[in-house]
Structure formats: C-alpha cells, structure tokens
Amino acid sequence: MRKLKLDELNRPDIEAFKTQEKLPVVVVLDNVRSMHNVGSIFRTADGFALEKVILCGITAQPPHREIEKTALGATQSVDWIHYTDTLQAVDALRSLGYEIVAIEQAENSTMLNTFNPDPKKKYALIFGNEVDGVSDEVMAKIDECIEIPQFGTKHSFNIVISAGIVFWDFFAKLRL
C-alpha cells in the first residue's frame, strides 16, 4: 500500500473551502485555556467543514503562534469570532435558530451514540474549560446535553479528543 502525496488528496484551497457547503455546526469554546487545544479545534473544524468556531471568555484568539502550532493554517480557512462572555454567544446563536448543545457529563444527558441530529436543524456545540467544563451559567441555558460514553478509569477525555469524536459523529449521521 502506498501513502498518498499531499497533491493527491484533492483538498480545496482556502477560497474554495470558504464557499463550499458546511456542516450545520458551530463550535463554542467556553473559556478554554490551552492555545494548543484551540488550534487543534480549528484544525478539526476544518477537517469536518464546520461553519464556525466561536471563542469565548479567556479562550485565546488568532493570530498567535501557539495556536498556529496545532491549527496549521486552519485559522485562515475556518471562520471565527470572539465573545467576551459565553452567554452572549449563546443568546446570539439562539436568535439565529441554533440548537444549543453542551458536550458535558450531566444529569439527564443523552449519550452520543443515541443522539440523532435533525438534518433540518443547526447546532451550536459547546465545549468547556479543561478543568471546570461548561460553566453552570451556560448549562442553565442549553437545549440539550450530549455525553460521550466512557469505560475507563479517567473522568473525561481531553477537549480535542471529545471534539473529534462528536464532530465525526455529527458528520457521519448528517452526511454519510
């Protein structure tokens, strides 16, 4: 078996990416502290052609070399915006018709494997701080909470791993 060369992957350039159809998903980062995590979220959002990344609170913003280490240019392809407060972002997204979904371990959460996204809806997926998760104030305003089933001894996945799992699940259920 031969690995494909970069020019054989047929990836769109930035201009083509900007105009292509996107998965009806925006990512909301609620006070994410690691710039490497922020960059990796951008790169993963690019890989699944998500609509936008919304950076909230203390979440670092491009341009920054620590973000670019893992984003590898995805901050240029994926649209993004910053809100000083996550609740402002949630209110703005709700007014645009997005279903507000926290990715969190919570009472009455829906396990990811049983969640079926509606192809007629748009989704805002909220990922929280690496230590504290999605803030209690934001949890009080969500429409749905999705939990990733876990079977090991650790309490949670890294935010980037969680995002990759959830993005793939939404992509597979909505596009494949």
Side-chain angles (χ1 to χ4, degrees), residues 3-168:
K3 291 187 336 183
L4 295 175
K5 297 183 183 337
L6 292 179
D7 60 343
E8 295 176 294
L9 295 176
N10 297 318
R11 298 291 191 254
D13 60 21
I14 291 174
E15 293 77 30
F17 180 85
K18 293 276 189 187
T19 62
Q20 80 183 43
E21 183 181 2
K22 304 289 189 299
L23 198 66
V25 172
V26 298
V27 182
V28 179
L29 300 183
D30 181 21
N31 292 295
V32 172
R33 62 187 178 155
S34 166
M35 287 188 248
H36 292 158
N37 284 342
V38 173
S40 293
I41 294 288
F42 269 98
R43 188 169 171 190
T44 309
D46 175 279
F48 289 111
L50 304 187
E51 287 181 1
K52 183 183 289 192
V53 173
I54 300 178
L55 310 169
C56 300
I58 66 165
T59 306
Q61 303 168 55
H64 196 288
R65 71 182 187 92
E66 292 301 311
I67 293 172
E68 289 305 325
K69 278 183 181 180
T70 51
L72 297 179
T75 57
Q76 282 78 51
S77 57
V78 177
D79 290 339
W80 65 272
I81 190 170
H82 178 264
Y83 283 87
T84 56
D85 182 64
T86 308
L87 291 175
Q88 292 172 335
V90 167
D91 290 341
L93 289 162
R94 188 177 310 287
S95 74
L96 294 171
Y98 284 85
E99 182 91 359
I100 309 300
V101 180
I103 310 304
E104 188 59 85
Q105 298 168 352
E107 290 179 338
N108 302 312
S109 61
T110 302
M111 290 296 158
L112 179 62
N113 56 298
T114 64
F115 182 79
N116 289 307
D118 182 340
K120 295 180 182 100
K121 289 185 177 181
K122 302 183 293 185
Y123 293 92
L125 303 178
I126 305 172
F127 294 85
N129 176 276
E130 294 89 340
V131 174
D132 299 321
V134 177
S135 71
D136 292 337
E137 297 80 20
V138 171
M139 289 295 290
K141 296 192 96 179
I142 64 171
D143 299 313
E144 178 82 41
C145 183
I146 294 175
E147 184 173 339
I148 302 168
Q150 297 178 59
F151 308 99
T153 62
K154 297 299 152 193
H155 298 290
S156 65
F157 291 116
N158 172 279
I159 181 177
V160 175
I161 299 303
S162 294
I165 291 168
V166 174
F167 297 171
W168 166 251

